[in-house]
Amino acid sequence: AKTAEEGAKKEGAEVVDATLGAAAAAGAAAGAAVTGTMVVEFDAGSNGGIKMVSFKTPQVGLALVLSGGGCCASGKPKVAVKAVDKKGQAETLGVLKSWKVVSINGTPVTGLDQAQKLLADSAAKLPQA
């Protein structure tokens, strides 16, 4: 059985991790506003880790889909890259199909509709190529 101290230590570690995540997200949003870019955070899977990609023009060049969460998947469905346009900005920046979208300009992605709106709204603020 765990002692109360061990439980508190574990909870404290989770709070620290959440705080660092929030700080990183806030930093991404602030950096995006200053540099005129849209920063999308992707989870590239167990071998790829987390990738921060900065888009510079409104022609992002990717489509999103809701993936996972079916009968055999663990956890909630995630928003993922459905397709990457050939020779588009996303492909040039190294984005791959099936990467999970974690955040857009520091805002955590919670669903497909929200992610598509965030992507469109953020991309619309970018300078034309």
Side-chain angles (χ1 to χ4, degrees), residues 3 15 34 39 45 47 79 82 106 114-115 118 122:
T3 65
V15 170
V34 170
V39 178
N47 293 334
V79 176
K82 176 182 179 180
Q114 179 246 16
L118 272 173
S122 298

Side-chain angles (χ1 to χ4, degrees), residues 20-120:
L20 290 174
V34 170
T35 62
T37 62
M38 173 177 65
V39 178
V40 180
E41 182 181 3
F42 295 99
D43 181 345
S46 57
N47 293 334
I50 299 295
K51 308 277 187 190
M52 302 289 274
V53 180
S54 297
F55 292 88
K56 295 177 173 62
T57 66
Q59 297 77 26
V60 177
L62 59 80
L64 302 178
V65 67
L66 199 58
S67 74
C71 71
C72 305
S74 61
K76 295 186 340 185
K78 306 262 190 230
V79 176
V81 177
K82 176 182 179 180
V84 178
D85 295 347
K86 290 282 183 205
K87 298 187 179 170
Q89 186 176 192
E91 182 183 69
T92 302
L93 293 170
V95 176
L96 299 176
K97 184 178 171 182
S98 81
W99 280 9
K100 308 296 184 268
V101 182
V102 177
S103 69
I104 299 171
N105 279 347
T107 302
V109 168
T110 58
L112 182 59
D113 291 341
Q114 179 246 16
Q116 289 172 328
K117 182 173 179 0
L118 272 173
L119 195 65

